[in-house]
Amino acid sequence: MKQSTTTIATLAASQYIGKLCRHFRHKIETEYTPTTGLATFPFGTCNMTATPTHLTFDIAADNAESVEKIKGVLVRHLDKFAYKEQLIVEWQDGSRG
């Protein structure tokens, strides 16, 4: 299983989880609360966690190509929703299992 994680500094983490999950649910299965989110793509998953100062994405997929697809979807949509602030997204890639 391939994985990638990023933690992004923002004071709007909870709002971004809500916006992302509400947007994605038109095409994929999502679940969310004010502090957590789960987006289940056909090719992998992304767990989202909000703290008062950070947003974390944890991606898991069968292969690196699928991880990259999910990263692209997340970053493109987050950039649209976060137009009022400049977010720094730095991914940490790895494997498990």
Side-chain angles (χ1 to χ4, degrees), residues 31-45:
E31 302 171 24
Y32 66 97
T33 70
T35 57
T36 63
L38 173 63
T40 304
F41 296 88
F43 38 84
T45 61

Side-chain angles (χ1 to χ4, degrees), residues 16 19 77-87:
Y16 294 143
K19 287 180 180 185
H77 286 84
L78 186 60
D79 282 348
K80 288 178 185 176
F81 296 137
Y83 65 92
K84 291 182 181 178
E85 63 180 317
Q86 187 171 0
L87 301 178

Side-chain angles (χ1 to χ4, degrees), residues 6 16 24 27 47 86:
T6 186
Y16 294 143
F24 290 156
K27 292 188 177 183
N47 282 291
Q86 187 171 0

Side-chain angles (χ1 to χ4, degrees), residues 60-95:
D62 288 336
N63 55 60
E65 181 181 338
S66 295
V67 168
E68 292 302 317
K69 266 192 206 180
I70 295 171
K71 284 182 189 179
V73 169
L74 290 169
V75 169
R76 280 192 309 276
H77 286 84
L78 186 60
D79 282 348
K80 288 178 185 176
F81 296 137
Y83 65 92
K84 291 182 181 178
E85 63 180 317
Q86 187 171 0
L87 301 178
I88 298 169
V89 181
E90 295 176 349
W91 295 98
Q92 308 266 325
D93 296 334
S95 297

